[in-house]
Amino acid sequence: MRGGMGNMQKMMKQMQKMQKEMQKAQEQLAEKTVEGTAGGGMVTVIANGHKQILEVKIKEEVVDPEDIEMLQDLVLTATNDALKKADELAAEMMGQFTKGLNIPGLF
């Protein structure tokens, strides 16, 4: 019976270590950025690994007062591209912790 308690303590220590490593990876995600683009680079959206939009860049030549819908579409497309890349970055960084685990909704 004593061996069972030792294994449980060892497992708890491993879980605590993994939790600290996951927290560190989450902090690193906030510092990393991804860039989404549309219209051949006419619109650029920069987001961090937590899917927060940090910056939107629009080249002057794409601004046409007669065609606001096109500009809106470009911003939307670039934003979705950036958010998709942020998801991919998070999956890459956090995937090491969920390897082999089939937990629905976790990355």
Side-chain angles (χ1 to χ4, degrees), residues 13-77:
K13 284 183 181 181
Q14 288 174 334
M15 292 296 289
Q16 288 173 341
K17 180 181 177 191
M18 186 172 84
Q19 187 177 16
K20 286 180 184 177
E21 290 172 356
M22 286 177 69
Q23 184 177 0
K24 183 178 177 183
Q26 283 285 346
E27 291 167 2
Q28 290 173 342
L29 273 173
E31 297 170 8
K32 294 190 178 280
T33 60
V34 292
E35 182 177 288
T37 61
M42 297 303 262
V43 175
T44 301
V45 174
I46 298 173
N48 67 16
H50 285 262
K51 298 198 278 186
Q52 296 170 318
I53 304 302
L54 304 175
E55 190 174 348
V56 176
K57 299 177 186 176
I58 300 172
K59 293 198 175 177
E60 190 175 313
E61 54 267 26
V62 78
V63 179
D64 179 0
E66 301 296 318
D67 194 1
I68 296 297
E69 287 181 10
M70 182 188 70
L71 180 56
Q72 291 170 336
D73 288 344
L74 290 173
V75 171
L76 184 63
T77 300

Side-chain angles (χ1 to χ4, degrees), residues 22-23 25-26 29 89-98 107:
M22 286 177 69
Q23 184 177 0
Q26 283 285 346
L29 273 173
L89 177 65
E92 179 183 319
M93 289 186 68
M94 300 306 289
Q96 63 185 323
F97 302 108
T98 59
F107 302 105

